[in-house]
Amino acid sequence: MKPLKHVDSNMNNLISDLQTLIRQPSVSAKNEGIEECARLVKKMLNKSGIKSEILRLGKGVAPLVYGEVKSKKNNSKTLMFYNHYDVQPAEPFDLWDYPPFSGKIKGNKIFGRGATDDKGELITRIKAVEAHLKTTGDVPCNVKFVIEGEEETGSAHIDQYLKKYKKKFACDGVIWEFGYVDSKNRPIVGLGMKGLLFVELSIRESIRDAHSSLAVLIKNPAWRLIDAVKTLRDSDGKILIKDWYREVTPFSKEDLKLIAKEPFDEKSFKKEFGVKSFVSHKRGFDAKKALAGDATCNIAGFISGYAGEGAKTVLPGEALVKIDFRLVPKMKPKKQVQRLKEHLKSKGFSDVKIKVFHGEAAARTKPSDPFVSKVKEAADESFGNSILNVSNAGTGPMYSFAENLGAPCISIGSTYIFSRIHSPNEFARVDLLKKTTKCICLIMDKFAKG
Ligand SMILES: [Zn+2]
């Protein structure tokens, strides 16, 4: 296939364009270089033959770069690439071996913040489309690019963009912004993401901290908050809030088959974290099932009183806990917040204040969707083999895409699991960038054919 040969002989181009992207900092958390990077991405799309424009929602919202190529074939289907041009902050700078925005090349690796997440992934999509255009003068299917600038701060406005531009963004399938490649160089074809509900629970008992001798009279809010939190979950991880799991449906037979097939190196996983056993003594298949499909109630932080050096006999005036709940399909964040409120009230904890930071539903594409086999075939051809994953244990705004566009979403990409994304010395692997670009070329081809 001509486009694949084109990818092989144009890797230098891909690498230098990726370096250009890395050299433009675009840290959404600090609003650093966001406008500049959006303009750079637009220019790069145009250069590759992808008609592009910058879309806006208003002040204080990062612009979204939109790109489109229409196939000359009639009735062609439309494939969307969802990516992001923003990156995580590069701090701590002194832990980097090369400056984080240099795009330094060392052997098979390109170093820099965003080298993989997500500028590396984005460049594979752009170059795949370019390879088709350069060698055939056309694309096998219509393509659309939606490249946002707020992913690393939680994609706060992607849902609004999707609603506002629903017609413009209409498509038949979405290729997600990343895809993991495991330690044995097998790409993970990911079919879902969990949802997330992040809340803060707090209790203020007195207007200030007091001498702890007064604990005989003044109630300690830390004790009270511990009592409240203990009602949320049992020691096996099961959430005890009434109706929490009500709408959840069990895994299908198909799902279970895929989970059984997925590799999971329990020993090295435990070694990596220095843990001896898992929650509820899960092992093997049950551990894999939990990663793909269990809801969680996790204490992310608990603050009260004094936890510094030495002793301080203090009675805190306030206690605060941050909790993240991973949600599974059919759990609606708003409804779950309501259930949490009712639960605390019914247990006698109406004095607990609830602050909601973030709510996002889970999404999954069915393994039987025809889009899945096409992506899997393309991945097998390009990488030699691949692994189907029912759902990632993490969260992304996949539900917004699936819901607003009514299109299946699949993640596939070049993100080597040890590529230190979000950490110092993030890098992309040139061999994986090449394989992924070819894989995307093949996906476009297969997607067009039925
Ligand atoms: Zn990221």
Side-chain angles (χ1 to χ4, degrees):
M1 200 177 141
K2 278 186 192 163
L4 300 186
K5 278 193 191 131
H6 185 270
V7 173
D8 275 326
S9 49
N10 284 276
M11 279 307 288
N12 282 344
N13 240 319
L14 182 149
I15 291 165
S16 75
D17 279 356
L18 176 54
Q19 285 177 309
T20 306
L21 285 175
I22 293 169
R23 285 171 190 154
Q24 171 58 60
S26 51
V27 184
S28 46
K30 300 195 276 186
N31 195 22
E32 181 190 345
I34 288 296
E35 281 291 333
E36 293 85 344
C37 195
R39 282 201 293 273
L40 176 67
V41 170
K42 177 178 180 263
K43 226 171 84 185
M44 208 169 266
L45 289 174
N46 284 334
K47 195 185 80 178
S48 295
I50 302 156
K51 213 178 94 194
S52 68
E53 59 183 306
I54 288 180
L55 305 178
R56 293 179 192 276
L57 280 183
K59 246 189 156 184
V61 180
L64 183 145
V65 187
Y66 175 74
E68 192 177 332
V69 186
K70 279 210 173 82
S71 171
K72 289 171 187 162
K73 296 177 189 76
N74 283 332
N75 301 322
S76 185
K77 290 207 289 179
T78 302
L79 185 64
M80 173 181 283
F81 299 113
Y82 160 60
N83 288 91
H84 61 92
Y85 63 83
D86 65 319
V87 297
Q88 285 277 322
E91 284 88 343
F93 292 111
D94 54 325
L95 293 184
W96 285 80
D97 294 336
Y98 314 105
F101 300 107
S102 66
K104 169 87 182 171
I105 297 173
K106 203 76 181 150
N108 186 34
K109 293 173 180 170
I110 304 169
F111 287 88
R113 172 55 80 237
T116 282
D117 177 15
D118 190 40
K119 290 169 174 173
E121 297 282 23
L122 171 61
I123 205 73
T124 63
R125 278 70 169 154
I126 296 175
K127 291 298 170 186
V129 173
E130 189 185 289
H132 275 290
L133 288 172
K134 284 256 166 82
T135 54
T136 69
D138 196 12
V139 276
C141 57
N142 302 318
V143 291
K144 291 180 178 177
F145 280 84
V146 164
I147 308 162
E148 71 151 314
E150 298 180 341
E151 198 274 343
E152 298 294 5
T153 52
S155 297
H157 298 95
I158 195 68
D159 195 64
Q160 257 173 278
Y161 270 117
L162 287 161
K163 284 195 164 74
K164 182 172 175 189
Y165 295 102
K166 204 170 168 164
K167 269 198 186 144
K168 199 181 185 78
F169 293 174
C171 63
D172 306 290
V174 180
I175 293 294
W176 205 243
E177 46 110 358
F178 76 97
Y180 282 116
V181 177
D182 76 1
S183 58
K184 293 184 174 146
N185 293 324
R186 293 172 295 197
I188 314 291
V189 178
L191 307 186
M193 307 278 299
K194 284 184 187 174
L196 182 74
L197 175 61
F198 199 102
V199 299
E200 178 187 288
L201 307 182
S202 63
I203 298 180
R204 176 163 281 287
E205 180 60 33
S206 55
I207 54 168
R208 60 178 173 82
D209 289 359
H211 191 285
S212 74
S213 62
L214 298 178
V216 288
L217 297 179
I218 299 175
K219 289 178 215 154
N220 187 318
W223 275 125
R224 189 154 171 76
L225 195 56
I226 286 169
D227 288 342
V229 168
K230 277 204 78 171
T231 67
L232 299 178
R233 172 194 182 273
D234 72 14
S235 54
D236 285 331
K238 194 182 164 222
I239 297 162
L240 303 173
I241 299 165
K242 196 178 163 221
D243 291 337
W244 194 256
Y245 299 94
R246 190 165 174 183
E247 291 83 11
V248 178
T249 47
F251 280 124
S252 67
K253 271 190 190 155
E254 270 183 307
D255 291 334
L256 293 171
K257 257 193 220 160
L258 287 186
I259 293 168
K261 267 199 226 162
E262 250 184 81
F264 178 61
D265 188 345
E266 197 171 323
K267 246 193 186 162
S268 32
F269 187 101
K270 284 177 175 159
K271 207 177 144 200
E272 172 78 23
F273 292 98
V275 297
K276 288 199 176 69
S277 67
F278 291 149
V279 171
S280 190
H281 296 282
K282 285 187 190 90
R283 310 201 52 179
F285 180 69
D286 287 328
K288 292 195 283 180
K289 224 173 96 181
L291 278 171
D294 276 7
T296 64
C297 169
N298 174 60
I299 296 177
F302 198 116
I303 306 169
S304 191
Y306 179 78
E309 211 178 312
K312 182 188 180 191
T313 47
V314 66
L315 195 168
E318 191 185 21
L320 187 153
V321 63
K322 300 218 182 230
I323 293 181
D324 61 79
F325 293 93
R326 293 283 163 186
L327 306 179
V328 298
K330 307 248 167 76
M331 286 179 170
K332 297 262 186 301
K334 268 191 191 151
K335 199 162 195 175
Q336 303 303 85
V337 169
Q338 204 46 46
R339 284 171 173 158
L340 170 64
K341 281 183 184 161
E342 277 158 22
H343 169 88
L344 288 170
K345 211 167 138 192
S346 76
K347 295 284 174 189
F349 293 102
S350 347
D351 53 330
V352 174
K353 254 205 214 149
I354 304 175
K355 191 169 163 188
V356 180
F357 284 89
H358 186 72
E360 196 167 326
R364 259 185 229 158
T365 292
K366 280 201 180 102
S368 58
D369 193 293
F371 188 32
V372 177
S373 53
K374 290 181 203 305
V375 174
K376 168 100 171 87
E377 275 170 32
D380 286 342
E381 274 179 57
S382 182
F383 287 84
N385 58 8
S386 66
I387 294 159
L388 276 177
N389 168 258
V390 170
S391 174
N392 191 293
T395 299
M398 202 177 255
Y399 178 82
S400 287
F401 282 79
E403 195 62 11
N404 287 303
L405 307 176
C409 304
I410 297 181
S411 82
I412 176 80
S414 62
T415 303
Y416 177 53
I417 45 159
F418 301 126
S419 59
R420 304 188 197 135
I421 56 172
H422 295 207
S423 312
N425 297 321
E426 174 179 353
F427 65 85
R429 272 172 49 185
V430 175
D431 62 326
L432 297 181
L433 291 171
K434 194 204 271 188
K435 283 180 179 163
T436 303
T437 308
K438 287 182 175 178
C439 177
I440 302 289
C441 283
L442 290 164
I443 291 172
M444 290 167 67
D445 216 44
K446 292 176 192 296
F447 189 66
K449 285 177 187 151

